[in-house]
Amino acid sequence: MAENTPIVLIENDLILAEKISLDLTKAGYQVAIAETARMGLEQAKKLHPALIAIDRSLPGESALTLIPQLRELGLMVPILMLMSNDAIADRIVCLESGADDYVLKPYHAPKFLHEIGLYLHSNVSVGEQLRFSDLVLDFVTHRVSRHDRTIELTVKEFELLRYLMSHPETELTREQILENVWGYDFLGESNVIEVYVRYLRLKLEKDGGKRLIQTVRGVGYVLRD
């Protein structure tokens, strides 16, 4: 299933990069290594990969500033960040930068390959969809359409909208959303939900679309027509 699936690995530790690349290649993936953020951006433009892995420890803030640049290219593929620090603040910064998830160092091949597999392999049946008002969410294409306009979403944007559309007209607390979409417990110190709701609203409401994701003050959010 993984055969020839392209992955861009942006890692300035060449010894680690070769180790990860070898493991991914053995698993059937096609890997392109980039040592810098600039090189990674060029590889992504060239290859249109299925997934991008970025080391948080790239020089400067380039690991964080690179992700918005990748999204601006229209790359809505999963982006995983390799991190050596598990502090809450670092996790929040990682997710708020637009990364879909993070993998903690030291590098452990089975765990890393498992994470890759979770994002690249879907067992969803063909034709399965969710509908609400004029929104249609398709599990196969991982796209949303509204008024015949196709909206491309990142993995986490898609998962957030899917969770909301799976519970229409239901007021969902921030705790429920964070647990079911991100699976993390740093609620009190994170505004990652607000960041992603803003991303979704910008995309869904483009060209005059009516607001469907409503804020419930002091509670969370609700999908309501």
Side-chain angles (χ1 to χ4, degrees):
M1 185 180 293
E3 187 174 0
N4 296 323
T5 300
I7 291 176
V8 169
L9 171 64
I10 307 173
E11 171 60 71
N12 63 327
D13 181 339
L14 291 183
I15 295 177
L16 177 59
E18 289 296 338
K19 168 60 177 169
I20 296 174
S21 177
L22 179 61
D23 291 334
L24 288 171
T25 301
K26 287 180 179 178
Y29 299 101
Q30 176 188 342
V31 185
I33 298 174
E35 298 177 44
T36 66
R38 182 183 59 81
M39 293 171 62
L41 193 63
E42 291 303 314
Q43 289 281 19
K45 288 180 183 178
K46 177 182 177 182
L47 297 176
H48 298 284
L51 182 143
I52 301 170
I54 306 172
D55 196 316
R56 171 69 175 88
S57 62
L58 291 176
E61 291 298 313
S62 57
L64 298 178
T65 58
L66 173 60
I67 297 176
Q69 296 177 61
L70 291 167
R71 298 304 190 199
E72 287 172 8
L73 292 175
L75 291 167
M76 298 297 111
V77 301
I79 296 179
L80 304 184
M81 190 168 283
L82 292 157
M83 296 174 52
S84 56
N85 194 338
D86 191 28
I88 289 175
D90 286 278
R91 288 186 279 165
I92 291 172
V93 167
C94 163
L95 296 173
E96 291 180 353
S97 72
D100 293 293
D101 212 334
Y102 59 86
V103 179
L104 291 176
K105 295 181 180 178
Y107 170 71
H108 182 58
K111 183 176 180 181
F112 184 73
L113 292 173
H114 175 70
E115 290 294 321
I116 295 286
L118 288 178
Y119 280 96
L120 292 185
H121 307 306
S122 172
N123 295 318
V124 176
S125 300
V126 174
E128 193 169 355
Q129 294 180 335
L130 286 175
R131 294 173 179 268
F132 181 83
S133 185
D134 52 3
L135 283 178
V136 180
L137 181 148
D138 191 293
F139 290 110
V140 179
T141 62
H142 272 234
R143 289 185 178 182
V144 171
S145 60
R146 187 174 195 186
H147 297 306
D148 297 322
R149 177 174 66 91
T150 298
I151 305 167
E152 292 193 3
L153 302 178
T154 68
V155 173
K156 275 295 179 280
E157 289 168 356
F158 182 87
E159 291 179 1
L160 173 57
L161 184 59
R162 178 167 65 176
Y163 184 62
L164 292 171
M165 291 181 70
S166 297
H167 302 82
E169 307 288 352
T170 302
E171 295 185 358
L172 299 168
T173 66
R174 297 180 72 251
E175 290 89 344
Q176 289 173 310
I177 296 171
L178 197 65
E179 179 181 351
N180 285 278
V181 178
W182 281 271
Y184 304 129
D185 57 0
F186 46 83
L187 179 70
E189 303 184 49
S190 173
N191 68 338
V192 68
I193 298 174
E194 287 75 11
V195 170
Y196 276 81
V197 166
R198 184 168 72 249
Y199 292 160
L200 274 179
R201 283 173 170 167
L202 286 172
K203 292 183 177 183
L204 298 180
E205 297 170 15
K206 186 179 179 181
D207 299 329
K210 180 173 60 175
R211 175 157 296 183
L212 297 177
I213 303 176
Q214 309 290 342
T215 301
V216 182
R217 192 172 300 276
V219 179
Y221 296 93
V222 59
L223 193 69
R224 180 178 292 147
D225 194 352

